[in-house]
């Protein structure tokens, strides 16, 4: 994003943290398989490894289905400069307070 007055490029870091409940693991895995199968740029051997990974790990399946690029693709006036994401199985207690202690990570 370029500031038209000063000509300098400006960047905004967006951090998102979510906890998802996997209510239908088989449905999640099937959706991840479909996404992998539809990826025309993925080499066949990598596709096989990815399909096996999502079969064993629901967090891996989620990582194949949630793409940060989709979050900003339709936002006017911005260009995605860099994105990374991961997912992992997590212990979750809905009674625990959502702390923001890690804001400076």
């Amino acid at each position: 994003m370029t500031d038209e007055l000063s000509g300098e490029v400006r960047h905004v870091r967006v951090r998102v943290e979510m906890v998802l409940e996997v209510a239908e693991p088989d449905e999640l895995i099937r959706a991840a398989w479909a996404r992998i199968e539809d990826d025309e740029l993925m080499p066949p051997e990598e596709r096989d490894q990815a399909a096996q990974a999502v079969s064993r790990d629901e967090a891996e399946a989620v990582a194949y289905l949630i793409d940060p690029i989709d979050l900003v693709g339709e936002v006017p006036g911005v260009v995605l400069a860099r994105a990374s994401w991961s997912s992992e199985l997590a212990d979750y207690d809905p009674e625990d307070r959502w702390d923001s202690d890690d804001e400076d990570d």
Side-chain angles (χ1 to χ4, degrees):
M1 170 185 291
T2 304
D3 182 347
E4 292 179 16
L5 298 177
S6 69
E8 81 182 56
V9 176
R10 298 179 355 175
H11 294 87
V12 175
R13 181 182 305 258
V14 177
R15 296 181 186 189
V16 176
E17 184 169 337
M18 297 183 283
V19 176
L20 306 176
E21 177 182 345
V22 178
E24 299 290 335
D26 293 338
E27 189 174 333
L28 171 68
I29 291 168
R30 280 193 298 274
W33 284 341
R35 172 72 61 94
I36 292 165
E37 195 60 38
D38 289 344
D39 188 344
E40 296 173 359
L41 300 177
M42 189 182 294
E45 62 278 356
E46 189 177 322
R47 185 175 290 132
D48 291 342
Q49 291 174 348
Q52 290 175 17
V54 300
S55 297
R56 292 187 305 265
D57 185 351
E58 294 160 352
E60 192 74 28
V62 168
Y64 272 93
L65 294 170
I66 295 180
D67 187 342
I69 296 166
D70 293 341
L71 296 174
V72 298
E74 299 295 321
V75 177
V78 301
V79 175
L80 181 64
R82 179 183 289 170
S84 68
W85 67 101
S86 66
S87 60
E88 60 190 24
L89 293 177
D91 293 326
Y92 175 68
D93 180 354
E95 301 298 319
D96 283 349
R97 193 170 77 90
W98 190 278
D99 289 331
S100 57
D101 294 340
D102 59 352
E103 282 185 18
D104 295 328
D105 284 352

